[in-house]
Amino acid sequence: MKTEGKSGWLLLLMSLLVMGLSATMSSASFGDQYHRGRRKTMLPDEATSSLGLNRAASSIVLPVHGNVYPIGSYNVTLNIGQPPKPYFLDPDTGSDLTWLQCDAPCVRCTEAPHPFYRPNNDLVVCKDPLCEALHAPGSHKCDNPEQCDYEVEYADGGSSLGVLVRDAFLLNFTNGNQRTTHLALGCGYDQLPGSSYHPIDGVLGLGKGKSSIVSQLSNQGLVRHVIGHCLSGRGGGFFFLGDGLYDSSRIVWTPMSPDYAKHYSPGLAELIVGGKSTGFRNLVMVFDSGSSYTYLNSQAYQFLTSWLKRELTGKPLKEALDDRTLPLCWKGRKPFRNIRDVKTYFKPLALRFASGRKDTTQFELPPEAYLIISSKGNVCLGILNGSEVGLQNSNIIGDISMQDKMVIYDNEKQMIGWGPGNCDKLPKSRSFSFW
């Protein structure tokens, strides 16, 4: 989601324009304040083997490091450049562009786990379709035709400004192949940290747009235009690109909404609490791995918190006003160690989607999908007020609610699916059992 720029940023942008750069806008992640919140140059091995790879049966698995709490962020490792060097990237289904902090030189960069990326001279030109895809319709101008300038902003106030380049990605496929392929990425030479800042080399954009990594790989015939993830409630897990890792018949599917085409959205949802409808039936929901927590608009959030407080009346829990981990926490007679200690006090929630004229699908939210145990031993609500962070009418299904589920975004069939997953083990092929 695009956010409002600050005056200092606008002054910097104006100075860059004078220097001959044209800033462009990209669709960006909704993010959150608590989470970390064409032409192709072929390498020799690609020219000889690209037709031999069965993309229908091959996937790329990216192990995940991190958790919802206490780290508050996830990262995957990608090897980029010639020779390949490792970089930690924030995997984000809410944005398209993959970018690295870049020594081009760097005008303003933040702390990073690795030395800044050193770009090659393979610039993406302004008229390239990938460059055009980064702009809002009708706003694509080529003041500097030899390069593609970009600016991407996130809802937590963070941003990246840079140029689009192509470089080598070293990728391991589940069929045993290791390949080097050229993909477009952002060389970000000017970054502003957002409120959810944490040291990172860059962002892995896994959105639906043409510039996303999975879209580029699909256009090269290497994988199908499908991504997914399985985030463990114990931390870690994996992302995957391609469709060779799951049994489609064991997944609950719902269509992506054409009304919210920029993001992975099933459209409108009904909020269910304790098995009963709340009357909130028009919640625009978006699946966003770039958001640690789940967000509801102000009205739905206020209803939920009021309902929870009523449900906890007479239970051995009271509000922990001194715990600032999240906006709403409760303490017990003694510190809690895990969610199992409090599950009996909290009822399951759900989001019900209309998957057809008569059919519905339901995304279940057991207590572990919306609660955390803070460092003080209190239980805190991991569903937040989206109106307070500028989400307006949008609602987000964040990482906390997708833990221990296989969540799949099939861009070819325009479907979103989910099912229980064994996220502690890395898969190798479709024969691997998640259940």
Side-chain angles (χ1 to χ4, degrees):
M1 169 180 282
K2 173 127 173 358
T3 58
E4 295 296 329
K6 297 180 175 63
S7 58
W9 176 250
L10 293 176
L11 289 174
L12 173 64
L13 184 56
M14 290 173 65
S15 67
L16 289 171
L17 287 168
V18 172
M19 294 166 58
L21 297 178
S22 60
T24 68
M25 293 296 179
S26 162
S27 172
S29 169
F30 286 99
D32 70 58
Q33 63 177 340
Y34 293 98
H35 94 293
R36 34 230 186 268
R38 121 214 106 150
R39 287 193 305 260
K40 185 175 86 73
T41 303
M42 269 198 174
L43 296 181
D45 65 318
E46 293 181 89
T48 58
S49 63
S50 62
L51 295 178
L53 181 62
N54 179 9
R55 70 174 189 153
S58 184
S59 300
I60 299 166
V61 175
L62 301 172
V64 169
H65 301 280
N67 56 38
V68 171
Y69 181 84
I71 295 175
S73 66
Y74 290 97
N75 69 76
V76 298
T77 301
L78 284 178
N79 294 289
I80 303 170
Q82 300 178 83
K85 297 179 180 178
Y87 297 98
F88 294 165
L89 287 89
D90 191 340
D92 185 12
T93 60
S95 63
D96 297 334
L97 181 66
T98 293
W99 57 267
L100 291 173
Q101 299 204 76
C102 183
D103 186 7
C106 194
V107 175
R108 181 168 44 185
C109 286
T110 61
E111 180 185 353
H114 296 99
F116 297 143
Y117 168 67
R118 295 293 300 271
N120 57 28
N121 294 320
D122 191 0
L123 291 172
V124 175
V125 299
C126 185
K127 291 186 177 180
D128 191 293
L130 288 182
C131 187
E132 184 175 1
L134 291 175
H135 294 69
S139 67
H140 186 208
K141 299 178 181 179
C142 289
D143 296 332
N144 194 343
E146 297 304 313
Q147 67 187 50
C148 174
D149 302 288
Y150 77 85
E151 179 189 354
V152 59
E153 296 181 331
Y154 299 91
D156 70 346
S159 62
S160 176
L161 180 73
V163 296
L164 211 59
V165 299
R166 283 191 177 87
D167 211 337
F169 284 62
L170 181 62
L171 302 172
N172 294 310
F173 291 81
T174 53
N175 63 2
N177 286 357
Q178 183 181 77
R179 295 172 55 85
T180 299
T181 187
H182 272 60
L183 302 170
L185 73 154
C187 164
Y189 55 76
D190 195 333
Q191 275 67 242
L192 285 177
S195 59
S196 60
Y197 164 76
H198 60 282
I200 199 73
D201 293 316
V203 169
L204 174 61
L206 296 171
K208 300 171 69 175
K210 290 182 180 179
S211 62
S212 75
I213 290 298
V214 68
S215 180
Q216 294 182 61
L217 289 169
S218 176
N219 287 337
Q220 293 181 21
L222 299 180
V223 298
R224 293 201 179 278
H225 198 178
V226 177
I227 68 167
H229 51 74
C230 199
L231 304 174
S232 172
R234 289 154 292 284
F238 56 90
F239 275 71
F240 62 90
L241 315 180
D243 70 339
L245 297 177
Y246 57 89
D247 181 353
S248 182
S249 67
R250 304 185 72 176
I251 301 293
V252 176
W253 294 99
T254 195
M256 295 183 190
S257 172
D259 297 326
Y260 310 98
K262 288 186 177 181
H263 296 282
Y264 293 119
S265 172
L268 303 180
E270 178 182 5
L271 177 63
I272 308 296
V273 297
K276 299 179 181 179
S277 174
T278 61
F280 290 94
R281 293 185 173 87
N282 295 305
L283 299 173
V284 179
M285 300 304 305
V286 172
F287 286 78
D288 185 2
S289 71
S291 179
S292 289
Y293 295 102
T294 290
Y295 287 84
L296 295 176
N297 66 36
S298 183
Q299 287 184 318
Y301 174 78
Q302 296 299 339
F303 175 91
L304 177 63
T305 54
S306 297
W307 175 80
L308 283 170
K309 290 175 183 178
R310 289 196 305 271
E311 285 290 311
L312 294 175
T313 301
K315 307 281 175 58
L317 295 173
K318 64 178 181 177
E319 263 189 77
L321 300 177
D322 59 336
D323 192 338
R324 302 293 183 181
T325 302
L326 289 174
L328 185 56
C329 298
W330 296 271
K331 64 176 63 175
R333 295 191 180 99
K334 60 181 182 179
F336 301 116
R337 292 173 297 177
N338 53 56
I339 297 297
R340 290 192 298 273
D341 294 341
V342 298
K343 279 191 71 170
T344 57
Y345 305 133
F346 292 88
K347 293 181 179 179
L349 311 178
L351 293 164
R352 183 176 295 161
F353 302 104
S355 57
R357 290 185 177 181
K358 297 182 179 180
D359 297 330
T360 61
T361 54
Q362 199 154 290
F363 189 86
E364 305 289 347
L365 298 172
E368 54 268 31
Y370 67 87
L371 300 171
I372 66 162
I373 302 298
S374 75
S375 60
K376 295 184 177 183
N378 300 320
V379 57
C380 300
L381 178 63
I383 298 177
L384 309 180
N385 188 340
S387 301
E388 292 184 353
V389 294
L391 293 180
Q392 298 175 348
N393 192 44
S394 296
N395 304 269
I396 287 176
I397 299 173
D399 296 332
I400 187 172
S401 301
M402 297 188 282
Q403 292 178 118
D404 298 314
K405 291 183 176 73
M406 172 71 77
V407 181
I408 302 156
Y409 313 93
D410 189 328
N411 289 295
E412 296 188 1
K413 297 179 181 178
Q414 289 293 292
M415 301 289 284
I416 300 173
W418 57 85
N422 181 357
C423 304
D424 294 317
K425 295 182 180 180
L426 291 180
K428 294 182 180 180
S429 68
R430 187 177 283 133
S431 60
F432 180 87
S433 175
F434 292 106
W435 297 273

